[in-house]
Amino acid sequence: TLTAKDSGSIIVFASATGFAVTLPALAEGLRFDFLVRTAPTSGSHTVVTASSANNLLGNVITHPLSFGG
């Protein structure tokens, strides 16, 4: 679970086991960047809101990059 103090961070999905990241309560100016470093082989990576009333706004940028270990 992220907090407002994590705003501006890059959250890295680096596990082959999928997991969920929960965003903090909605507040003006919060920003989070997500990087999928390892595609999940079981489950899926998800980003969820702290409340079902919150909405997500963003975009997806994909790059055919390989990361060294």
Side-chain angles (χ1 to χ4, degrees):
T1 300
L2 301 175
T3 68
K5 290 181 181 182
D6 297 314
S7 181
S9 297
I10 298 173
I11 294 80
V12 179
F13 291 104
S15 171
T17 303
F19 60 92
V21 172
T22 303
L23 297 173
L26 187 62
E28 186 174 342
L30 294 181
R31 177 190 169 122
F32 302 94
D33 293 310
F34 298 89
L35 172 66
V36 177
R37 187 169 185 172
T38 305
T41 56
S42 64
S44 59
H45 299 318
T46 58
V47 178
V48 298
T49 61
S51 166
S52 61
N54 292 340
N55 296 314
L56 295 175
L57 174 65
N59 55 18
V60 175
I61 300 171
T62 61
H63 295 281
L65 298 176
S66 295
F67 292 93

